[in-house]
């Protein structure tokens, strides 16, 4: 306990001479506050010993530039610096609006490095301000002033251990305790009923078991009320209103007032006094606080104490690098319902809550309804100094209609790592391809108890990225058609006037037009010669050479997926070759003058969409380039943001569509070259039925029943199929990373079959092979897989590319081939040999940044299915 002897100063004699009583003992706020600060320094030293580098954070938010506010703030900042609190002063101008103030408060509320937020009152703005609304916007857990309604309500009902007590009343109680007087059973009088001092002071005394009377401007016979007080706390704001003769003999007097009265003896002509007439009060009181030097220093000290207390509360639940996230507990049903029924049985968290849980600020999130949101790229900039997490890529054997489940495994693994192994985990998957016409794959992402929810939202428009890509592609096509028509019907002068209109006697070239002139070697646009005008305006496009359609399956989607920023996307769009002239010269979007417009159309599409799995782990669903004609991976930006959010001990699980020879190879040689990111582990997904098909089993069409050859144990057929697994493992291991095989189990699998696949996988070089039941059990069914990838991530590894960049523009190669076979023939399963890969043509996607070769009968864009899934869909007005 603080030493009372060091905190008080006796005024006058220690005895009674000539009938004169001892003067009141002065309770020094200066000395008490100094001891409080020294104790806080010791507490912070202990914190730093347990959490190296940790410092409590405090923000003082001020509106305007009042001189008195500046003085108070400087005192708070000085005290914070002395103790070791990281304090920052945020000053908004007098022109700030209420919305601007509320937004700034929200930013501080969400900043985990700030534990206390003070809104300096009054709010000195020329605009209307609702002070109550502003103070209540402060998060209660950071309200170290104790002014929010929530903290006030807890104090009023006696929840003193679960709230912040306003600093001045808290300081008053500390000073009362230094007198040695027990509050319990005493008569206490509080003069003043403000929310800052009077009202909370009443509550504190009451819950300390005093009998409390609150007096105010309407109280009659105030002197009589004061005369009954063993403890008197005055915060009326009226200079020297309480006279010494009013006091009860020996009372404890706490003077909270700060008033200025004229005094010619002072340099500034003013003297600071309290609400109590000090000269007469000291004659009768037992203890009294001076003004200045009493309550004032204690208010600042208690503010520091509350800030440290807030930091301590934060550290009780804080685990460095760990999210404070809630997960949904699954209760799998037997027999298992349909994917739709399962998805509808869960209520997802609100997207705002999920965003906060994973460390996103509200201004970084753009909600689309309550369960999905766009994440702004500013988040990546804020987190740029944060170390990346572990990076996993999930690939698979060559797909079959029997299902391998790479997406389901991606989501199940993320659920296992997060909800069951309690590490930060983020899944990054592609948006369902061609959702606008219900492609043959269908719409859902994942299946069983490893899905992205809500199913309908992720299956349909999501956040309209595909619509933006289709609109941009259609704009290119329409612009080419319009340009061809204009060039065929207009003279050079008319066309030039149309492209670069004359305004006020001057022509102003757009940036894209200036760039075109530069590429043509024309340096003086203001003095163009006729032949230069002709070269500038005549693109002479061959309409048959258009490289885009209005489909989402275009280079535009590949550009979106490979962009690393909005600026990068804009530059890539400008480089896109969208047609050729009749002389074979490439025509870019910048030549057409629309690259900036395309970027405008896709400015929101570049932001990843945040959703969640069934167990409440976060998922980015973003972009859908196909693996047969493009790179087949989700976006770079989704991976980059996720890697920063999970932190160095977390995991990001991303998917490479198609077999390892296709989507995974492009993931490494195209996507990783663009992103600069290097994965830590490859997860290879296989299933017993699919391996049996690769071993020579009968053909199966999508949606048909599984033949008995795949549901009955057949080790010979399965062992033959494992040759395909071995070849894909060779493909994966060629990149220098550890590979873990995930066997997506079916109810028909036998222990002997699963054992055989595990044995063959390890013989082929897999670090581990693990049967998984995440489709039936969610994350619980992939815990062993999660543990395996954790071990794999710790093994020494060094990623390498398959080839150096040598060729046109030093671009990587994208093999546009069927995803249904290692060869160019989709009917050839297993490990085809003795074939020559027919390269039909080669093109350059300069915007996306790769060469693509057309192999066999692959078409760009791909053909629509003969029987689209929309035939099996309908809308119910009674559905959710």
């Amino acid at each position: 306990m603080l030493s009372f002897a060091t905190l008080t100063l006796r005024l006058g004699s220690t005895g009674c001479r000539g009938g004169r009583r001892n003067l009141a003992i002065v309770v020094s706020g200066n000395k008490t506050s100094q001891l409080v600060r020294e104790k806080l320094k010791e507490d912070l030293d202990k914190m730093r010993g347990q959490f190296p580098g940790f410092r409590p954070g405090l923000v003082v938010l001020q509106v305007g530039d009042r001189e008195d506010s500046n003085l108070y703030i400087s005192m708070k900042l000085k005290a914070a610096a002395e103790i070791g609190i990281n304090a920052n002063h945020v000053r908004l101008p007098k022109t700030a609006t209420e919305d601007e103030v509320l937004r700034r408060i929200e930013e501080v509320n969400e900043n985990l490095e700030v534990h206390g937020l003070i809104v300096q009152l009054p709010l000195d703005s020329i605009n209307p301000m609702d002070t109550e609304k502003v103070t209540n916007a402060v998060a209660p857990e950071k309200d170290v002033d104790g002014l929010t309604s929530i903290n006030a309500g807890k104090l009023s009902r006696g929840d003193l251990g679960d709230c912040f007590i306003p600093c001045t009343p808290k300081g008053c109680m500390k000073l009362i305790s230094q007198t040695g007087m027990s509050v319990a059973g005493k008569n206490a009088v509080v003069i003043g009923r403000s929310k800052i001092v009077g009202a909370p002071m009443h509550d504190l005394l009451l819950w300390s078991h005093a009998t409390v009377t609150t007096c105010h401007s309407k109280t009659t016979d105030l002197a009589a009320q004061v005369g009954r007080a063993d403890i008197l706390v005055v915060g009326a704001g009226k200079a020297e209103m309480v006279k010494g003769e009013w006091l009860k003999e020996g009372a404890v007097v706490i003077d909270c007032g700060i008033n200025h009265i004229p005094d010619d003896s002072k340099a500034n002509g003013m003297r600071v006094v309290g609400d109590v007439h000090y000269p007469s009060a000291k004659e009768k009181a037992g203890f009294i606080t001076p003004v200045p030097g009493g309550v004032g220093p204690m208010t600042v000290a208690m503010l520091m104490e509350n800030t440290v207390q807030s930091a301590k509360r934060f550290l009780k639940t804080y685990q460095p690098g760990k999210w404070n996230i809630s997960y949904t507990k699954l209760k799998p049903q037997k027999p298992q319902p349909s994917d739709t029924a399962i998805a509808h049985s869960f209520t997802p968290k609100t997207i705002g809550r999920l965003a906060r849980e994973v460390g996103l600020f509200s201004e970084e999130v753009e909600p689309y309804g309550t369960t999905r949101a766009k994440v702004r790229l500013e988040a990546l900039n804020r987190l740029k100094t944060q170390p990346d997490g572990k990076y996993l890529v999930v690939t698979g054997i060559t797909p079959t209609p029997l299902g391998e489940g790479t997406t389901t495994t991606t989501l199940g693994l993320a659920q296992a790592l997060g909800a069951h192994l309690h590490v930060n985990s983020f899944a990054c998957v592609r948006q369902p391809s061609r959702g606008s016409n219900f492609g043959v794959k269908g719409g859902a992402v994942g299946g069983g108890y490893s899905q992205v929810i809500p199913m309908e939202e992720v299956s349909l428009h999501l956040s309209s990225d595909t619509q933006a890509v289709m609109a941009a592609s259609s704009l290119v096509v329409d612009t080419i058609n319009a340009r061809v028509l204009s060039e065929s019907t207009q003279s050079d002068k008319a066309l030039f006037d149309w492209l670069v209109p004359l305004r006020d006697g001057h022509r102003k070239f757009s940036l894209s037009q200036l760039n075109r002139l530069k590429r043509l070697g024309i340096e003086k646009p203001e003095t163009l010669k006729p032949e230069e005008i002709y070269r500038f305006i005549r693109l002479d496009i061959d309409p048959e050479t258009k490289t885009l359609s209005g489909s989402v399956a275009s280079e535009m989607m590949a550009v979106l997926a490979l962009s690393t920023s909005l600026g990068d996307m804009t530059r890539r769009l400008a480089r896109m070759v969208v047609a050729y002239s009749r002389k074979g010269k490439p025509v870019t979007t910048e030549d057409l003058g629309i690259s900036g417009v395309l970027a405008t159309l896709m400015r929101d599409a570049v932001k990843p969409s945040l959703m969640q799995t069934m167990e409440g782990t976060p998922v980015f669903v973003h972009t859908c380039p196909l693996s047969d004609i493009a790179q087949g991976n989700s976006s770079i930006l989704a991976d980059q943001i996720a890697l920063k959010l999970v932190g160095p001990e977390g995991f990001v699980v991303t998917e490479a569509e198609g077999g390892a020879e296709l989507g995974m190879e492009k993931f490494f040689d195209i996507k990783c070259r663009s992103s600069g990111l290097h994965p830590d582990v490859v997860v290879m997904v296989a299933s017993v039925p699919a391996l049996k098909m690769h071993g020579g089993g009968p053909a199966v069409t999508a949606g048909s029943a599984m033949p008995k050859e795949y549901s009955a144990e057949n080790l010979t057929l399965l062992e033959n199929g494992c040759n395909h697994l071995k070849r894909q493992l060779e493909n994966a291991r060629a990149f220098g990373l550890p590979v873990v095989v995930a066997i997506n189990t079916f109810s028909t699998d036998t222990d002997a079959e699963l054992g055989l696949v595990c044995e063959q996988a390890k013989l082929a070089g897999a670090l581990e092979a693990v049967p998984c039941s995440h489709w039936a059990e969610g994350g619980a069914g992939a815990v062993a897989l999660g543990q395996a990838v954790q071990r794999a991530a710790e093994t020494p590894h060094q990623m390498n590319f398959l080839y150096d960049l040598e060729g046109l523009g030093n671009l990587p190669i994208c093999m546009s081939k069927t995803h249904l076979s290692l060869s160019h023939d989709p009917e050839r399963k297993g490990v085809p040999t003795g074939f020559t890969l027919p390269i039909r043509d080669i093109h350059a996607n300069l915007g996306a940044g790769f060469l693509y070769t057309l192999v066999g009968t692959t078409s760009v864009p791909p053909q629509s299915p003969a029987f689209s899934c929309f035939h099996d869909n309908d809308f119910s007005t009674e559905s959710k």
Side-chain angles (χ1 to χ4, degrees):
M1 182 173 176
L2 301 180
S3 172
F4 172 66
T6 66
L7 304 180
T8 59
L9 174 68
R10 183 174 298 279
L11 294 175
S13 172
T14 58
C16 291
R17 294 182 181 176
R20 182 187 176 199
R21 66 175 296 278
N22 292 337
L23 299 181
I25 294 175
V26 176
V27 184
S28 172
N30 287 327
K31 293 183 179 181
T32 306
S33 64
Q34 182 59 38
L35 290 177
V36 170
R37 290 196 292 269
E38 290 173 2
K39 177 63 167 60
L40 293 176
K41 288 180 184 179
E42 295 175 5
D43 290 349
L44 291 185
D45 286 340
K46 293 178 182 178
M47 281 188 197
R48 283 189 287 269
Q50 186 176 0
F51 300 94
F54 177 82
R55 292 178 67 191
L58 175 67
V59 168
V60 182
L61 178 62
Q62 178 186 13
V63 179
D65 194 25
R66 283 175 59 116
E67 187 175 340
D68 54 347
S69 292
N70 291 336
L71 176 62
Y72 297 143
I73 291 171
S74 66
M75 294 168 56
K76 296 168 184 175
L77 296 179
K78 181 180 178 181
E82 177 189 337
I83 293 168
I85 293 173
N86 182 25
N88 290 286
H89 179 196
V90 176
R91 180 188 281 120
L92 298 180
K94 294 185 69 170
T95 56
T97 64
E98 184 177 273
D99 285 343
E100 289 171 337
V101 174
L102 293 175
R103 282 198 298 270
R104 188 58 65 93
I105 291 174
E106 190 171 39
E107 290 175 15
V108 179
N109 284 343
E110 295 171 343
N111 190 340
L112 295 181
E113 295 181 356
V114 177
H115 310 98
L117 170 57
I118 306 165
V119 177
Q120 185 68 40
L121 301 177
L123 300 168
D124 182 24
S125 174
I126 62 173
N127 296 303
M129 290 276 176
D130 184 338
T131 300
E132 186 78 5
K133 182 178 180 181
V134 170
T135 54
N136 276 318
V138 177
E141 66 273 14
K142 297 188 179 185
D143 174 31
V144 290
D145 259 340
L147 299 182
T148 63
S149 296
I150 290 178
N151 278 319
K154 288 181 177 180
L155 174 58
S156 69
R157 68 186 188 188
D159 295 338
L160 304 188
D162 189 33
C163 70
F164 284 114
I165 299 169
C167 301
T168 298
K170 186 177 183 181
C172 292
M173 292 299 293
K174 186 83 71 174
L175 292 172
I176 293 171
S177 71
Q178 302 313 309
T179 68
M181 178 183 285
S182 173
V183 175
K186 299 297 187 297
N187 289 321
V189 172
V190 178
I191 301 179
R193 51 183 172 179
S194 72
K195 296 178 182 179
I196 297 175
V197 180
M201 192 71 235
H202 170 278
D203 294 336
L204 278 174
L205 289 165
L206 180 67
W207 294 113
S208 296
H209 310 296
T211 301
V212 188
T213 301
T214 298
C215 299
H216 44 77
S217 61
K218 303 298 182 183
T219 300
T220 59
D221 199 4
L222 180 60
Q225 297 288 351
V226 170
R228 289 193 290 270
D230 300 308
I231 300 170
L232 175 66
V233 181
V234 187
K238 188 174 181 181
E240 300 182 326
M241 66 172 289
V242 175
K243 310 304 179 185
E245 57 267 25
W246 296 5
L247 300 178
K248 182 178 181 180
E249 188 81 26
V252 173
V253 179
I254 307 296
D255 191 348
C256 302
I258 299 179
N259 308 282
H260 295 82
I261 63 174
D263 188 339
D264 294 337
S265 67
K266 300 297 182 181
N268 63 354
M270 301 296 288
R271 176 163 56 94
V272 177
V273 298
D275 290 353
V276 177
H277 186 261
Y278 189 78
S280 60
K282 70 181 181 181
E283 299 285 343
K284 200 169 183 182
F287 300 89
I288 192 169
T289 58
V291 178
V295 174
M298 289 302 298
T299 298
V300 176
M302 294 301 99
L303 176 61
M304 300 301 113
E305 186 173 88
N306 280 354
T307 303
V308 173
Q309 182 183 2
S310 177
K312 288 179 179 178
R313 291 175 181 173
F314 169 77
L315 290 176
K316 285 183 179 179
T317 59
Y318 170 72
Q319 299 181 57
K322 294 280 188 179
W323 293 334
N324 185 13
I325 184 171
S326 62
Y327 299 108
T328 303
K329 292 186 177 180
L330 301 182
K331 295 181 180 179
Q333 299 180 34
K334 302 293 182 182
Q336 187 161 322
S338 68
D339 287 356
T340 302
I342 292 173
H344 286 174
S345 68
F346 287 86
T347 301
K349 294 180 283 191
T350 63
I351 202 63
R353 176 182 172 185
L354 178 64
R356 289 191 298 273
E357 288 178 338
V358 301
L360 288 165
F361 292 175
S362 58
E363 73 266 16
E364 297 167 344
V365 179
E366 299 173 356
Y368 282 60
T370 60
T371 54
R372 64 192 191 277
K374 282 287 192 181
V375 174
R376 301 179 66 182
L377 304 190
E378 284 83 350
L380 188 57
N381 185 59
R382 174 176 64 86
L383 297 167
K384 61 184 177 183
T385 60
Q386 166 91 324
D388 287 346
K390 305 291 193 306
Y391 195 23
L392 314 179
V393 58
V394 179
T395 185
I397 61 174
T398 299
T400 71
L402 297 174
E404 295 67 50
T406 54
T407 305
T408 304
T409 302
T410 299
L411 298 172
L413 176 55
Q415 291 181 157
L417 289 166
H420 301 271
L421 297 176
H422 307 294
V423 297
N424 298 347
S425 70
F426 224 117
C428 295
V429 297
R430 298 182 321 125
Q431 187 175 345
S433 58
R434 291 187 291 152
S436 58
N437 65 1
F438 288 78
V440 68
K441 181 182 176 181
V445 175
Y449 287 95
S450 296
Q451 297 185 51
V452 177
I453 56 173
M455 174 189 281
E456 291 81 4
E457 292 182 4
V458 73
S459 300
L460 299 175
H461 298 293
L462 191 58
S463 48
S464 302
D465 293 352
T466 57
Q467 283 71 24
V469 171
M470 293 170 70
S473 299
S474 296
L475 176 62
V476 173
V477 174
D478 293 343
T479 302
I480 291 174
N481 292 338
R483 188 62 174 264
V484 170
L485 178 62
S486 297
E487 289 189 22
S488 66
T489 58
Q490 296 189 36
S491 65
D492 288 356
K493 182 181 183 306
L495 189 57
F496 186 49
D497 288 341
W498 176 60
L499 291 172
V500 193
L502 192 64
R503 293 190 176 96
D504 299 326
H506 299 281
R507 297 185 190 275
K508 184 177 181 180
F509 291 83
S510 68
L511 179 60
S512 62
Q513 289 173 335
L514 290 172
N515 288 338
R516 172 165 169 76
L517 288 169
K518 186 177 180 180
R519 289 195 301 275
L520 292 172
I522 301 172
E523 298 179 355
K524 296 181 179 181
E526 64 277 2
T527 57
L528 292 179
K529 300 175 182 178
E531 65 273 15
E532 291 175 332
I533 292 177
Y534 179 85
R535 290 168 56 207
F536 169 68
I537 63 174
R538 298 289 176 180
L539 297 176
D540 194 26
I541 297 173
D542 181 353
E544 300 301 319
T545 64
K546 289 182 292 189
T547 62
L548 293 180
S549 66
S551 168
V552 70
S554 69
E555 184 184 0
M556 202 80 70
M557 182 61 78
V559 165
L560 184 64
L562 291 172
S563 297
T564 57
S565 67
L566 186 57
D568 182 41
M569 183 186 74
T570 302
R571 291 186 291 272
R572 288 175 179 270
L573 290 172
R575 295 198 303 265
M576 282 180 56
V577 175
V578 292
Y580 290 87
S581 72
R582 298 181 191 277
K583 294 182 179 179
K585 293 182 178 180
V587 177
T588 67
T589 63
E590 193 166 53
D591 289 327
L592 291 170
I594 59 171
S595 57
V597 178
L598 296 176
T600 301
L601 282 173
M602 294 172 61
R603 70 189 187 282
D604 289 327
V606 77
K607 306 167 189 172
S609 295
L610 177 65
M611 297 190 74
Q612 62 194 281
T613 66
M614 309 200 75
E615 295 191 56
T617 61
V619 184
F620 275 139
V621 184
H622 198 213
T623 72
C624 55
L626 304 182
S627 64
D628 46 4
I629 64 167
Q631 71 271 25
N633 312 131
S634 61
S635 76
I636 287 175
L637 282 167
D639 291 358
Q640 287 178 327
I641 297 174
L643 284 166
K644 295 298 183 185
L645 288 171
V646 298
E649 302 302 319
F651 285 81
V652 170
V653 188
T654 193
E655 177 191 11
E657 187 203 24
E661 93 290 353
L662 201 63
M664 185 203 67
E665 184 275 326
K666 296 173 183 178
F667 171 84
F668 284 108
D669 285 324
I670 297 177
K671 182 177 179 179
C672 289
R673 274 194 164 106
S674 292
S675 69
L677 300 173
H678 289 185
D680 297 285
V681 180
V682 176
V683 176
M684 174 78 68
V685 182
S687 68
V688 168
L691 288 173
K692 287 179 179 178
M693 175 173 280
H694 282 296
V700 179
T701 58
S704 62
M706 183 184 295
K708 65 179 186 303
E709 287 86 351
Y710 299 122
S711 57
E713 183 177 289
N714 190 329
L715 298 180
T716 301
L717 194 64
L718 180 59
E719 187 170 9
N720 290 337
C722 283
N723 290 323
H724 176 84
L725 174 60
K726 293 177 182 178
R727 176 58 60 85
Q728 292 289 36
L729 282 169
E730 289 177 16
N731 292 332
R733 295 182 64 228
F735 292 95
L737 299 181
V739 183
V740 174
V741 171
I743 307 170
N744 189 12
T745 59
F746 283 60
S747 60
T748 55
D749 298 345
T750 67
D751 290 342
E753 289 175 327
L754 294 174
L756 176 62
V757 177
C758 289
E759 177 188 5
Q760 293 295 309
K762 291 177 183 177
L763 289 173
L767 191 66
E768 296 190 47
V770 184
C772 310
S773 55
H774 44 275
W775 180 80
E777 300 179 73
V783 168
L785 176 61
Q787 293 168 332
V789 298
Q790 284 180 306
R791 291 189 291 268
E794 297 303 320
T795 61
H797 55 269
Q798 179 64 49
M799 196 203 90
N800 53 266
F801 298 113
L802 285 190
Y803 55 87
D804 294 328
L805 294 182
E806 296 178 358
L808 179 61
N810 290 327
L811 298 177
I813 299 170
C814 176
M815 298 294 289
S816 297
K817 62 175 283 292
T818 179
H819 62 289
L820 298 175
S821 172
L822 288 172
S823 73
H824 60 286
D825 183 353
E827 302 302 321
R828 301 187 68 175
K829 306 300 181 184
V831 186
T833 58
F835 64 90
T836 300
L837 196 68
I839 305 297
R840 192 173 84 246
D841 204 350
I842 184 167
H843 296 277
N845 277 352
L846 297 183
F850 55 73
L851 304 175
Y852 71 93
T853 60
L854 292 176
V855 178
T857 58
T858 304
S859 63
V860 181
Q863 295 178 351
S864 295
F867 189 83
S868 294
C869 289
F870 59 71
H871 291 288
D872 295 325
N873 285 267
D874 203 348
F875 178 75
S876 170
T877 57
E878 297 180 359
S879 64
K880 290 186 179 180

